[in-house]
Amino acid sequence: MISAQSIAAAQPFIDAQHAISRRIAGHFGVRVIPTDDTSYAEVDAVIEKDGMIAAVAEIKSRRMSLEALTHMGSALITEHKLNSMCQAARLLCAEGFLFYHLREGDALMYWRLCDDRGQLCLDVERRRMQTPRTVEGGVANRVNVFVPVSGGILI
């Protein structure tokens, strides 16, 4: 369970995630079912289509533009989150997607990261580095996965 202080700090990101979920639902004609906002869920949402679980999703919202992301060349997800997504996809026989909302310009990109067997669909780079632990701050030294922008689809 996440503390009330942590939830308050994360609330703008949680609100953005819910808005992005509605946008995904409208674009694809699916139902996006979020995981519990008061816990550290291994995936952010389950996507349902025609009464069946179709996908699991990680949803990120970043303070950057599409131009900045393109210049960087890759989107970032922690290795732990990617591994959790692949495991959930395998267990649920569902695909795994990363959705990346770019707040400057309101762009939304997505990548199909794994198939319904939990196998990666893209070549990614893995690198250990220091990043912020949470939206509240702190530092984490962990393996991050860099997903190439070239493999993404702009909605």
Side-chain angles (χ1 to χ4, degrees):
M1 191 68 105
I2 300 175
S3 71
Q5 181 180 3
S6 294
I7 292 171
Q11 195 61 54
F13 297 94
I14 292 168
D15 292 344
Q17 184 175 319
H18 289 215
I20 296 160
S21 294
R22 289 188 296 274
R23 193 165 156 187
I24 293 164
H27 182 81
F28 291 104
V30 297
R31 191 170 140 213
V32 180
I33 305 164
T35 53
D36 184 9
D37 294 333
T38 63
S39 65
Y40 291 108
E42 297 294 324
V43 296
D44 289 331
V46 173
I47 298 174
E48 177 260 325
K49 175 112 177 150
D50 300 327
M52 303 285 286
I53 295 173
V56 293
E58 179 68 15
I59 302 170
K60 300 290 185 196
S61 181
R62 297 288 185 246
R63 287 186 197 121
M64 66 171 37
S65 65
L66 178 59
E67 181 181 351
L69 180 65
T70 301
H71 180 73
M72 286 176 36
S74 59
L76 182 109
I77 181 174
T78 67
E79 183 180 56
H80 177 80
K81 281 286 198 170
L82 176 63
N83 291 343
S84 295
M85 175 192 294
C86 291
Q87 181 180 18
R90 183 181 57 78
L91 291 170
L92 297 171
C93 297
E95 297 176 311
F97 288 88
L98 170 63
F99 290 90
Y100 229 70
H101 178 241
L102 305 161
R103 289 191 270 177
E104 293 176 20
D106 196 32
L108 181 60
M109 287 190 77
Y110 75 93
W111 293 259
R112 179 178 177 246
L113 292 184
C114 65
D115 64 20
D116 61 0
R117 295 180 319 275
Q119 300 297 310
L120 282 180
C121 297
L122 292 173
D123 289 327
V124 297
E125 178 188 345
R126 296 168 196 256
R127 189 172 42 200
R128 180 168 292 281
M129 58 188 294
Q130 287 188 346
T131 57
R133 180 171 297 283
T134 68
V135 296
E136 291 182 286
V139 176
N141 183 6
R142 58 187 164 204
V143 176
N144 287 308
V145 175
F146 297 84
V147 181
V149 171
S150 61
I153 298 171
L154 186 63
I155 297 177

